[in-house]
Amino acid sequence: MEPSAQRLSASLRGLAATLVELAQVRLELFSVEAQEEVLRVASLVAYGAIALVCMALGLGFLAILITVALWDEHRLLALSVFTAVFLLAGLIAMAQARERIRRGSRLFSASIEELRQDRESLEP
């Protein structure tokens, strides 16, 4: 084999090795971001569920306490106010959840940015 053909072959192998290494690094970054997102969402769900249960119980007992305290004079007013407050809080929470779903996630944003930089650095 000619020396120039050997150099070309070695150069192509080096380029292929570099591309494979680049792809491997990007996939590892992708994997790390996916794991971080899973952990973030799991902790968010766990803390959210705990907060939701505790707040619901607290508000429920508060509503019962005030209703019992006002039982003789204004029981219907107390029940009506608490019904309106709970329904309003539920509607606000639903609107916030809908807005967060619309906003989306920045999942894999670091990987996308790295791939964009790679593409720009390879362009002539």
Side-chain angles (χ1 to χ4, degrees), residues 22-23 26 110-120:
L22 185 65
R26 297 306 176 243
S111 291
I112 292 168
E113 178 63 23
E114 286 297 321
L115 289 171
R116 185 189 61 74
Q117 289 176 2
D118 291 343
R119 188 184 70 233
E120 288 175 359

Side-chain angles (χ1 to χ4, degrees), residues 71-123:
W71 190 258
D72 290 334
E73 300 113 19
H74 305 290
R75 67 177 169 249
L76 290 179
L77 175 64
L79 290 172
S80 299
V81 167
F82 284 117
T83 299
V85 166
F86 291 148
L87 287 175
L88 181 64
L91 289 172
I92 290 170
M94 189 170 45
Q96 287 292 320
R98 184 178 299 158
E99 178 61 29
R100 287 176 190 243
I101 288 171
R102 264 194 229 139
R103 240 186 292 149
S105 172
R106 294 195 34 89
L107 183 61
F108 308 124
S109 61
S111 291
I112 292 168
E113 178 63 23
E114 286 297 321
L115 289 171
R116 185 189 61 74
Q117 289 176 2
D118 291 343
R119 188 184 70 233
E120 288 175 359
S121 68
L122 291 174
E123 290 177 355

